Structure formats: structure tokens, C-alpha cells
């Protein structure tokens, strides 16, 4: 469980997300769930940055789309991000996916969520 988020950060590691989902279900009523989701959110953002950097063309659209939807879901649950991860995702995403409709939609949702008045970010 401790090593899984690092594995999730690597581009193209979709199989490991099934394990992460299983762990999330096991932790459903646990106090560790929020911490686990924060680690997954960070891994998801780092994975997207790695994917965008390694595949400057949009050849893996389905994988990216599923990661973006996962990112949106995690953001809605956690509602906080590491500023370094967030900056890296926005910078890399806008550099390589500024025309991608799904990326822009999720970015808009994230901005609305993270920059509301009550947010510490």
C-alpha cells in the first residue's frame, strides 16, 4: 500500500489503479481514507504530467480521459492539492493539451473547486 502511489505516478500504469480502487473500498469506513485519497490525487496528477510529457501528441486519449475523470472524482472528494503538483499539472497540461476538451473541462472544475472563497489554496 505504501509503494502503490509511486507506481501510479508512472505513465501508462492503468492496472495499478484497479488495485488502488480495491484499497479505497477496503478503507471506506476507515480514518485512513482521506489520507489515502490525497496520496492517490497526488499520484494521479503526477501520472498525468508524466503522460503529457512523454506523449506530446494525443495518442493515448482514452487513457488520459480515464485519468482526467479520476482526477476530477478525487478532487471532488479531497478538495485540496499539493501546490507543487497543481502547478506542474496546469503548466504541463496547458503546454501539451490546451486543445483537449476533457482536460479543459476538468481544469475548469478544479479551478472552481480549489479557488472558491473558503479554499486555503
Amino acid at each position: 500500500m505504501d509503494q502503490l502511489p509511486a507506481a501510479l505516478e508512472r505513465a501508462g500504469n492503468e492496472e495499478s489503479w484497479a488495485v488502488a480502487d480495491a484499497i479505497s473500498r477496503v478503507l471506506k469506513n476507515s480514518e485512513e481514507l482521506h489520507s489515502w485519497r490525497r496520496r492517490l490525487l497526488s499520484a494521479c496528477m503526477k501520472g498525468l504530467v508524466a503522460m503529457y510529457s512523454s506523449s506530446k501528441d494525443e495518442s493515448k486519449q482514452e487513457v488520459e480521459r480515464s485519468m482526467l475523470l479520476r482526477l476530477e472524482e478525487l478532487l471532488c472528494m479531497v478538495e485540496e492539492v499539493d501546490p507543487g503538483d497543481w502547478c506542474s499539472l496546469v503548466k504541463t497540461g496547458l503546454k501539451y493539451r490546451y486543445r483537449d476538451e476533457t482536460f479543459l473541462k476538468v481544469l475548469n472544475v478544479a479551478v472552481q473547486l480549489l479557488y472558491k472563497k473558503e479554499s486555503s489554496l
Side-chain angles (χ1 to χ4, degrees):
M1 190 169 142
D2 293 333
Q3 297 169 354
L4 187 59
L8 295 171
E9 293 173 13
R10 292 190 288 278
N13 204 354
E14 301 81 44
E15 301 84 21
S16 296
W17 281 101
V19 176
D21 291 339
I23 292 172
S24 295
R25 283 190 296 276
V26 169
L27 294 175
K28 187 174 183 179
N29 296 321
S30 169
E31 293 178 12
E32 294 179 61
L33 183 60
H34 186 72
S35 172
W36 173 247
R37 285 181 175 158
R38 286 188 67 195
R39 292 172 59 198
L40 290 181
L41 178 61
S42 178
C44 187
M45 287 192 286
K46 289 176 182 174
L48 281 165
V49 168
M51 209 177 298
Y52 292 159
S53 298
S54 68
S55 177
K56 292 171 179 54
D57 62 342
E58 298 178 28
S59 61
K60 296 183 178 183
Q61 283 186 324
E62 274 311 305
V63 175
E64 289 179 12
R65 186 178 321 276
S66 69
M67 289 288 287
L68 284 165
L69 295 176
R70 182 178 299 276
L71 174 68
E72 182 177 6
E73 178 184 337
L74 287 166
L75 276 168
C76 289
M77 287 187 248
V78 176
E79 294 189 0
E80 58 184 295
V81 295
D82 176 82
D85 292 344
W86 173 244
C87 182
S88 182
L89 175 68
V90 171
K91 181 180 174 183
T92 308
L94 289 174
K95 183 175 182 179
Y96 296 115
R97 298 299 187 268
Y98 61 92
R99 294 183 186 175
D100 184 306
E101 184 179 340
T102 307
F103 170 75
L104 294 174
K105 178 186 161 278
V106 172
L107 182 64
N108 185 41
V109 168
V111 167
Q112 298 299 319
L113 193 70
L114 296 172
Y115 291 95
K116 59 187 176 187
K117 287 185 180 182
E118 307 87 45
S119 176
S120 62
L121 191 64

